[in-house]
């Protein structure tokens, strides 16, 4: 957390607050985490985009129009608990102030969020962003390419979490997509039929999650909320994530929870059976 749906919701919500405005100040006390943010001062925000789980503010000279090319990008990774707020709080780490006095506060209880102002395309120190796969809701994410890659993949959930086959899919949406496609999270070397089902599931799950404003889990200080404190609603549609021990909504079997690639993983042992395939990889302990 946050994953693509939460970051996309954040982008849509804060874009009207920043687009067209000149940044007057970026205040924080951690230059090693928020790198070269002084370069944003005096530049106009031409727009906000998103790549996977990264927010990207396009910056140009203060007198530039939207038609002018931007010369810098202000990249934000929310980390596990980061998010923007309209009011400062106990966990405010960064304060953005625009030339007309408006302020936006970056709240991050666990301090895993990062920011950097860079030249467009210069993503040194951000290897995930540099090597990220296509956006799941874009035309670049094609069934044929995904199926081809999936045929040679190792354990499918860690493969998805790598961001290389498709961007923005994290723990929650990997579990939900695999449940919808009825594929075990440790399955390797997907068949063409399995790859097609998973491709469709990823697109459907992500589209629904974005429409619902993402997932807000629990009531803790670090849980995802929109900039105005409003919760996402997709957690109400989760079928397996966080449902360990509860009945599968499809077959009634208790949802299992395992640790796969150091991540808590939820699946239905009956709907998502593990199929033995000759890969040279051990899948012992993951049978459902």
């Amino acid at each position: 957390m946050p994953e693509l749906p939460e970051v996309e919701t954040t982008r849509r919500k804060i874009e009207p607050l920043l687009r067209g405005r000149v940044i007057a100040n970026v205040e924080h006390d951690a230059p090693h985490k928020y790198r070269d943010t002084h370069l944003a001062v005096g530049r106009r925000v031409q727009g906000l985009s998103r790549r996977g789980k990264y927010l990207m503010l396009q910056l140009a000279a203060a007198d530039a129009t939207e038609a002018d090319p931007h010369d810098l990008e202000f990249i934000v990774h929310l980390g596990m608990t980061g998010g923007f707020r309209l009011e400062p709080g106990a966990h405010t780490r960064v304060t953005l102030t625009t030339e007309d006095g408006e302020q936006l506060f970056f709240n991050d209880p666990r301090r895993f969020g990062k920011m950097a102002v860079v030249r467009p395309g210069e993503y040194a120190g951000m290897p995930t962003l540099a090597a990220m796969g296509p956006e799941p809701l874009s035309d670049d994410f094609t069934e044929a390419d995904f199926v081809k890659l999936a045929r040679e993949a190792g354990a499918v959930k860690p493969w998805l979490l790598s961001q290389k086959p498709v961007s923005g899919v994290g723990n929650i949406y990997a579990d939900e997509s695999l449940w919808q496609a009825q594929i075990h999270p440790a399955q390797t070397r997907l068949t063409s039929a399995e790859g097609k089902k998973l491709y469709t599931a990823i697109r459907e799950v992500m589209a629904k999650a974005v429409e619902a404003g993402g997932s807000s889990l629990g009531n803790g200080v670090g849980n995802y909320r929109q900039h105005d404190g409003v919760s996402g609603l997709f957690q109400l549609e989760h079928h397996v994530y966080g449902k360990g021990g509860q009945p599968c909504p499809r077959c009634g079997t208790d949802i299992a929870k395992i640790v796969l690639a150091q991540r808590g993983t939820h699946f239905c042992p009956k709907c998502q059976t593990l199929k033995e395939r000759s890969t040279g990889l051990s899948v012992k302990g993951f049978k459902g």
Side-chain angles (χ1 to χ4, degrees):
M1 282 291 288
E3 302 178 28
L4 183 153
E6 292 76 39
V7 179
E8 176 60 19
T9 299
T10 298
R11 185 195 69 79
R12 294 179 182 185
K13 294 290 186 177
I14 70 172
E15 183 171 29
L17 306 178
L18 294 175
R19 188 183 186 99
R21 287 189 162 95
V22 174
I23 295 177
N25 192 32
V26 185
E27 182 181 356
H28 59 78
D29 60 2
H32 63 291
K33 294 181 67 65
Y34 312 118
R35 295 187 291 111
D36 296 325
T37 56
H38 65 282
L39 297 176
V41 175
R43 282 181 166 81
R44 188 179 304 279
V45 180
Q46 287 186 314
L48 277 74
S49 61
R50 179 196 49 74
R51 188 75 175 92
K53 304 176 188 180
Y54 291 83
L55 276 174
M56 307 173 80
L57 285 65
Q58 285 76 49
L59 304 178
D63 59 354
T65 68
E66 289 192 13
D68 294 326
H70 63 278
D71 64 340
L72 292 175
E73 289 182 329
F74 192 143
I75 300 176
V76 180
H77 191 276
L78 301 180
M80 292 180 64
T81 61
F84 287 96
R85 298 289 185 270
L86 296 176
E87 301 290 339
H91 302 289
T92 294
R93 310 300 179 196
V94 182
T95 301
L96 290 177
T97 303
T98 62
E99 200 172 54
D100 53 4
E102 295 295 324
Q103 290 187 309
L104 196 60
F105 304 91
F106 182 67
N107 190 66
D108 189 9
R110 297 188 66 181
R111 299 177 182 265
F112 290 142
K114 298 178 181 179
M115 298 181 183
V117 177
V118 302
R119 298 290 179 186
E122 293 182 1
Y123 304 138
M126 305 176 197
T128 300
L129 180 56
M132 195 172 287
E135 291 287 320
L137 300 178
S138 74
D139 292 339
D140 292 333
F141 183 48
T142 67
E143 181 182 82
D145 287 343
F146 182 77
V147 168
K148 183 178 180 179
L149 291 172
R151 288 191 189 122
E152 302 300 323
V156 63
K157 182 177 176 180
W159 179 65
L160 291 175
L161 297 185
S162 75
Q163 305 299 295
K164 293 179 180 179
V166 59
S167 67
V169 179
N171 210 32
I172 294 173
Y173 302 106
D175 281 1
E176 291 298 313
S177 297
L178 289 165
W179 177 85
Q180 182 168 314
Q182 297 183 253
I183 296 171
H184 193 287
Q187 187 63 59
T188 59
R189 297 172 63 92
L190 301 189
T191 65
S192 293
E194 290 168 340
K196 290 176 181 179
K197 288 177 67 175
L198 182 55
Y199 170 85
T200 298
I202 290 170
R203 289 179 66 93
E204 290 180 354
V205 167
M206 288 305 223
K208 290 178 181 178
V210 169
E211 184 178 356
S215 300
S216 294
L217 308 175
N219 297 308
V221 171
N223 291 315
Y224 161 76
R225 296 289 185 274
Q226 298 176 32
H227 74 300
D228 52 5
V230 174
S231 298
L233 296 175
F234 192 68
Q235 68 277 7
L236 303 178
E237 299 185 46
H238 289 180
H239 295 101
V240 287
Y241 184 81
K243 306 285 187 180
Q246 298 181 38
C248 169
R250 188 162 45 214
C251 73
T253 303
D254 284 354
I255 298 298
K257 180 180 180 181
I258 60 174
V259 176
L260 183 60
Q262 300 181 320
R263 305 299 297 273
T265 297
H266 306 81
F267 68 102
C268 173
K270 184 176 180 180
C271 293
Q272 298 169 260
T273 57
L274 183 63
K275 300 173 178 63
E276 296 283 359
R277 287 175 185 152
S278 178
T279 64
L281 299 174
S282 172
V283 293
K284 185 177 180 180
F286 295 118
K287 288 186 178 181

